[in-house]
Amino acid sequence: MNDRNGPVVGIIPAAGRGVRLGESLPKAFVELDGRTMLDRSVEAMLTSAAVDRVVVVVPPELVASVAATAPPQVRVVAGGAERTDSVRAGLAAADDAAYVLVHDAARALTPPVLFARIVAELRGGRRAVIPVLPVADTVKSVDGAGRVTGTPDRSALRAVQTPQGFAADLLRRANAGAGDATDDAGLVERLGESVYTVPGEPLAFKITTPLDLVLARAVLAAGTPVRQER
C-alpha cells in the first residue's frame, strides 16, 4: 500500500518527435507565445502545489541542454523509442514516489487545478484516476471497408485527458509487461484494476495538429480562461 502522505512525482514523456504537428522541432519543444510546451507543462505541475517534483523524459541528445535550464525540482532523463519506454525511464528516476502523475507535454495549457484534483483523489484512496470530458460528437464504429457497424451510446463515452494519476506501485506493475497501450490507464485496466474518473478541463486539449497549434496560440492571445461546465 502507498503512504498517503508520500511524495507525488510528475512524469512528462517528451521524447517523441510529433511529426503530425508539422514543425521541425520535437513537439514538446515547439513554442507557444515564447515558451515551449514542455516548459508550460512543467510550470503547471509545480504551480499546482500538489506535485513535489517532476521527471522530464527527453531525446538522449537533448538531456544536457534541457537539464541546464531546468528548475531544481526537475530531473531530466533520456527516453526510449516508444512512449512506454519513456514512462519506464521516468519511473526509474522516481523510485521514492508514492504517487505518479503521467502528463503529455502536448497538453501544454492544462490548468494547475487539474493536477491538484487528481492528487486529491489519490490521497483520498483511489489508486488510478484520470480526467475525462463528455463526448460531444456522435461516434460510429466502422469495419475495414469503412462501413458503419454501429452507433455507440455517447452518454456512456468519455474523452480521456492527462494528467493520469496512479499509486506508484500499481503503475510500476502495469509497466512491467511488454505490452503497449494508447494511455497508461489502458495498461492498468489490463491488470483488472479499477480506474476512476474526475472532470477534465477544456484547456487540457492535446496539441497534435497544426490546427491545434493555432487554437492554443489563439487561447493564449485572448487571455480568457476556459472552464468546463459542472
Side-chain angles (χ1 to χ4, degrees):
M1 296 295 291
N2 280 73
D3 174 7
R4 291 194 183 182
N5 297 314
V8 178
V9 177
I11 295 176
I12 303 180
R17 299 298 172 180
V19 293
R20 284 182 293 172
L21 197 56
E23 300 282 327
S24 59
L25 296 169
K27 180 166 54 179
F29 297 92
V30 172
E31 289 191 355
L32 297 173
D33 195 21
R35 300 181 58 208
T36 68
M37 290 197 273
L38 178 59
D39 286 344
R40 289 182 176 278
S41 296
V42 168
E43 182 186 54
M45 274 195 169
L46 296 177
T47 301
S48 74
V51 177
D52 297 295
R53 59 188 178 87
V54 178
V55 177
V56 173
V57 189
V58 301
E61 67 274 16
L62 296 179
V63 170
S65 60
V66 175
T69 59
Q73 309 99 308
V74 176
R75 180 176 177 184
V76 183
V77 299
E82 302 294 337
R83 185 179 186 279
T84 49
D85 298 323
S86 293
V87 172
R88 291 183 187 116
L91 284 169
D95 55 357
D96 65 333
Y99 304 102
V100 174
L101 300 187
V102 183
H103 184 55
D104 292 333
R107 298 183 187 274
L109 303 187
T110 301
V113 66
L114 188 54
F115 298 94
R117 191 177 301 153
I118 296 291
V119 172
E121 291 292 315
L122 292 171
R123 293 205 186 278
R126 303 293 196 196
R127 287 175 53 78
V129 184
I130 61 175
V132 299
L133 292 177
V135 175
D137 294 327
T138 297
V139 177
K140 301 287 186 181
S141 59
V142 298
D143 62 17
R147 180 183 59 187
V148 171
T149 59
T151 306
D153 178 6
R154 71 181 181 189
S155 68
L157 300 176
R158 297 293 182 271
V160 179
Q161 301 179 317
T162 71
Q164 297 189 356
F166 308 93
D169 62 309
L170 175 58
L171 188 58
R172 291 183 194 282
R173 185 157 55 94
N175 274 277
D180 200 359
T182 56
D183 70 347
D184 297 278
L187 296 175
V188 170
E189 291 164 36
R190 291 177 188 174
L191 298 178
E193 298 279 352
S194 296
V195 177
Y196 293 89
T197 66
V198 296
E201 294 286 338
L203 282 178
F205 68 92
K206 192 171 184 178
I207 303 169
T208 303
T209 68
L211 181 58
D212 299 329
L213 197 57
V214 170
L215 175 59
R217 287 170 172 159
V219 169
L220 288 171
T224 304
V226 180
R227 300 288 299 179
Q228 170 67 17
E229 294 296 329
R230 300 286 187 253

